[in-house]
Amino acid sequence: MNRKIIVFLIFIFGISWSQAQTNLYIKGVIKDAQNEKVLQNAEIFLEGNSNKVLSNHKGEFYLTDNGSGSYILQISIKDYVSKRIPVFLEGKDLELGVILIEKDITLEKSLHLINISEDELLDDEMNSNSLALLQATKDVFLNRAAFDFGQAFFRVRGYDSQYGEVRLNGLPMNKLLDGRPQWNNWGGLNDVIRNQLYANGLEVSDFTFGSILGNTNIDLRPSRLRPGTRLSSSISNRTYSGRLMATYNSGLKNEKFAFMLSASRRWAKEGYIDGTLYDAYSLYGNLEYQFNKKHTLNFAGILGSNRRGRSSALTEEVFEIQGRKYNPYWGKQNGKIRNSRERHIKEPLFLLNYIFESNRVKVDAGLSYQTGFYKRSRLGYYNAPNPDPTYYRYLPSFYINSPIGANFESAIIAKDGFLKNPELNWGSFYKANTSLGQNGKAAYVLYDDTIADDQLTLNLNSNINLSDSIRIDFGTTFQELHSKNYALINDLLGAEYHNDIDIFSETRNDLATDVNKKKGDIFNYHYKLLGNSNSAYTQLNLRLHKLSWFISGKYELVKYQRSGLYQNERFLNNSLGKSERVKFSNWSLKSGVNYKVTGRHWVSGNIGLIQKAPILQNVFVNPRESNTVVPNINNEKITTVDATYFLRLPKLTGRLTGYYTRFQNTTDINFFFVDSGIGSDFVQEVLTDMDKLHMGTELGLEYQLSSAVKLSFVSSIAKHIYASDPSVTINFDTAGSNEDVIDVTGSKSLGIAAIKGYKLAQGPQKAIAIGLEYRDPKYWWVGTTANYLANNYANISTIIRTESFLTDPETGEKFPEATTQNVQNLLKQRPLDNFYLLNLIGGKSWLRNGKYLSVFASVNNVFDTTFRTGGYEQSRNGNYGQLNQDNLSGTPSFAPKYWYGFGRTYFLNLAFSF
């Protein structure tokens, strides 16, 4: 066995040595076209070749290669237009002399498209667009996915953003709770996050094993960004109305020291959707010290605060009455907008990095610490009318769908009342709370669901070039999370106290503390979540004449635990104290190959066998009240493969990718009230053994019609479906003497949900775009993109696709009219409407004496198209009889709810750099 290993190593090094003997050099000097200043850190490579070099402090570069034939040499540097030079290699060195490259007059385009796309990051249910927009400035397909398709919440390959990895200075930013990066932590700092190294999909990365959606590393070092000052101001009618931003980068002083400062402020009394305030600021500082050319120390601090009024999904009934801008979460108090569902994120982040770089070895050691809070406010009501203006009993459909017959007169009265009073009535809450009958006790309370995290992360990554053809990468990451979770009383709305008792079961939420709570007190629930992750990866990269190949492996150990700080009367023996420690260990493997047919045509293929621990929020059935763990929970398994053809002609560039991914063993938890065939209750629905299938194609093409005109075509044709029938279990509390308990054990298995073949609600599964851009030599440019989006679906309810749905809760027998055909018609999945969108962008730049002034403008959805971006079926009607009765009129009370996209919106920015 040892002899075989020695022979293999000799063979590999022999190949490496033989390749080194035939290397040739491509040489040149990179200069600014306007002032002929030499440019350092320009990236030079042959398209289709993984070997890249940087220009030195004299602007010189020396690129080695062992190929022959026609190639395209690409030169890229921040703030400049990438240059593509056709070259012919014939076994001897090639000297190109001085190469002049021009300032990128459309620089503002990418900066502000990122800013526009950031508006889409509204809530936790964020799609993979957040990762795509980080990557989108180079790849034409990702560009369209982020900036055009993103308006419809398109997801690249249908993946959730938890499957894309985002790192700052090599340190992972994906949260242990939900697996997603929280963009709001550094939102508004566009100047800071521009230096990005990314790998798409399963492609090889030199700083991490990565994930199936790809990975992005944002290099924050000031020495890697443009020095100088940049000031900008924006106005918009999207989520915010105004923005100010200022950035200063000292550049490297005496080849030793650099620092960078940046700040931004964004605000709106009301965004595009009614009642959605916006109040955000970001502060950033970075210090970099280079001991010498090999050793660097870097410290960065980020403080971002983002407070935003949220909006709601709407039924078609509400939409038809109030329109797409309607939002039931707000009302006016003393003439000012007040939103009951604000989201406030403030999580300061500190990063420390040490970097060692030599000709053959690079080592990056990093540490980060993050603290702060994530708050979501809501209006609680206790033995009082529901304050939601869209509550089903207040709408016309309630009277039309009455089981004793339609009452059209009452329906008209309800509609008139809804039109006259569509907002929250804050005055009525104060009036109710101060009424004599309450005796100071609150009927309405505004409170914050709060997550207060402390997380420590350590990371070490190394790259060792054994030769020009062989590189080894390896690294390890440690993360530890301490997360406090609780409800905090924000405003008693005129009351003196809140009685912390569950109104349905008349039980206490905590037996140890005072039952009467005041403003600023914790109530309802209080617990800690502990998360710990240890991972290590190693990777071998081999680059030959026409072939490059890699193989990478990763091991991860994840531990989760809940620690209850309240003894809940409904879960006396399972709420206070620590839960069992839940452990997951997993292995992952991926490999890929890239083959150059010629210098202008090449193909690549990747395969991955991934195991992934469940995210923390899917491990405990009902963490607010008990320590119960999802039974038999296990690692998620992902099998994925992709293949890509790349084309790099002098005028035509592009790629065609096909992918296939199967997710197995996934788990999901949902919370809702249901009238099911076996009883009614507020339940936690646990789905296990759920498989999903994602397959499709991606096409991106760019054609340079002339030196000034560029044409692009992008398409994504996909099929994303449920690939199994998952097991469904509902959980509920059993407290309360007057309660009709579904099952005395507090849990009931409903068997399987027949959902195999149903479409996933992962955004449009068909997306096509045609773009045209004109760039004038006199430093102005315009562009337009026509987009078609189709095959989008709302999220389905699983509980109504179990056998319990067919059971009559009155008799315990199957509904006689619930025939196979009738059930199929009632539960048929219907796509959302297909639609077209036209977007316009343009700008003008002036460069005078090294000072750069630019104007950027965009108009999205030019024709003011109304479209739905997504939605979900409600699960309230959990039995056939009730759901069928509700749908007879064509306007069901518990119809699916939908989110609607923005109509015509604009963005205008003025920037000044020097």
Side-chain angles (χ1 to χ4, degrees), residues 397-602:
S397 59
F398 174 72
Y399 300 97
I400 294 173
N401 298 322
S402 173
I404 61 174
N407 186 334
F408 294 102
E409 185 177 348
S410 294
I412 292 172
I413 294 173
K415 181 178 179 180
D416 290 341
F418 185 39
L419 284 167
K420 291 177 182 177
N421 300 289
E423 304 168 3
L424 288 178
N425 188 342
W426 287 99
S428 68
F429 307 148
Y430 284 87
K431 185 177 180 179
N433 281 353
T434 55
S435 65
L436 293 176
Q438 288 297 119
N439 293 317
K441 185 172 72 171
Y444 296 95
V445 172
L446 186 69
Y447 65 93
D448 295 326
D449 287 317
T450 304
I451 300 173
D453 285 351
D454 289 286
Q455 180 166 301
L456 176 69
T457 302
L458 302 174
N459 186 75
L460 176 66
N461 191 72
S462 299
N463 315 110
I464 302 175
N465 291 292
L466 301 178
S467 71
D468 290 341
S469 301
I470 300 176
R471 190 186 79 221
I472 294 177
D473 309 315
F474 57 90
T476 182
T477 301
F478 167 81
Q479 290 180 289
E480 182 153 309
L481 170 70
H482 293 256
S483 178
K484 295 180 181 178
N485 297 257
Y486 51 86
L488 187 74
I489 295 179
N490 181 308
D491 192 341
L492 285 169
L493 304 175
E496 296 176 14
Y497 67 93
H498 168 63
N499 191 236
D500 192 19
I501 290 180
D502 178 72
I503 60 173
F504 298 105
S505 61
E506 297 183 354
T507 55
R508 295 181 60 172
N509 292 318
D510 181 36
L511 294 176
T513 57
D514 189 348
V515 71
N516 293 329
K517 305 291 184 177
K518 302 294 182 66
K519 180 179 179 179
D521 285 351
I522 293 174
F523 81 112
N524 198 8
Y525 64 92
H526 192 191
Y527 64 95
K528 289 182 181 180
L529 289 176
L530 308 176
N532 181 289
S533 172
N534 294 271
S535 65
Y537 87 99
T538 185
Q539 185 168 267
L540 173 66
N541 304 270
L542 177 64
R543 185 174 62 86
L544 304 178
H545 173 46
K546 287 193 171 186
L547 183 74
S548 59
W549 169 80
F550 79 92
I551 186 169
S552 183
K554 175 185 176 182
Y555 173 75
E556 183 178 33
L557 178 63
V558 178
K559 301 175 185 177
Y560 297 138
Q561 189 173 40
R562 178 190 183 272
S563 180
L565 302 178
Y566 272 7
Q567 186 173 23
N568 190 299
E569 193 173 358
R570 297 177 296 283
F571 298 91
L572 281 172
N573 301 316
N574 195 30
S575 54
L576 185 66
K578 294 183 178 180
S579 71
E580 63 177 291
R581 179 164 287 190
V582 188
K583 298 180 181 180
F584 304 92
S585 63
N586 53 66
W587 291 90
S588 296
L589 181 70
K590 70 174 185 177
S591 183
V593 63
N594 188 308
Y595 178 74
K596 291 187 292 184
V597 181
T598 69
R600 297 180 179 180
H601 305 266
W602 69 94

Side-chain angles (χ1 to χ4, degrees), residues 37 56 97 134 220 280 420 430 526-527 548 732 801 810:
K37 290 176 60 176
N56 62 23
L134 290 174
L220 299 173
K420 291 177 182 177
Y430 284 87
H526 192 191
Y527 64 95
S548 59
F732 36 84
R801 291 169 173 87
E810 300 296 328

